Amino acid sequence: MARGQRKPIEEKIREKEEVIAALKVRVSSEEKELAELKKEKREKEMEAISSLLEESNLSIEEAKEILGQHIAGLASATA
């Protein structure tokens, strides 16, 4: 049974290089989208923290002090 013509190795290499280039473009695009999603998540978290501080009538400095005390308490409890 006769086979069809085989592709020359150069053509196979070129096709693989094209596939790899397209995949690199896709990965780059997906990485950009992921970075945007992470940025959006961080912004929403910051808005939630800001709202919590406002509702609690706490300044950023007061919140930092409270968190510092809490962290120090956790550190001494685990020591």
Side-chain angles (χ1 to χ4, degrees), residues 42-60:
R42 180 169 173 79
E43 288 173 0
K44 286 183 179 185
E45 290 171 341
M46 294 305 291
E47 287 175 15
I49 290 170
S50 180
S51 293
L52 181 63
L53 290 174
E54 190 175 313
E55 290 170 9
S56 303
N57 292 321
L58 287 173
S59 69
I60 292 175

Side-chain angles (χ1 to χ4, degrees), residues 19-36:
V19 168
I20 289 169
L23 288 171
K24 286 180 179 179
V25 169
R26 171 83 190 272
V27 167
S28 176
S29 173
E30 295 294 334
E31 286 174 338
K32 286 178 186 174
E33 188 175 340
L34 176 61
E36 285 296 317

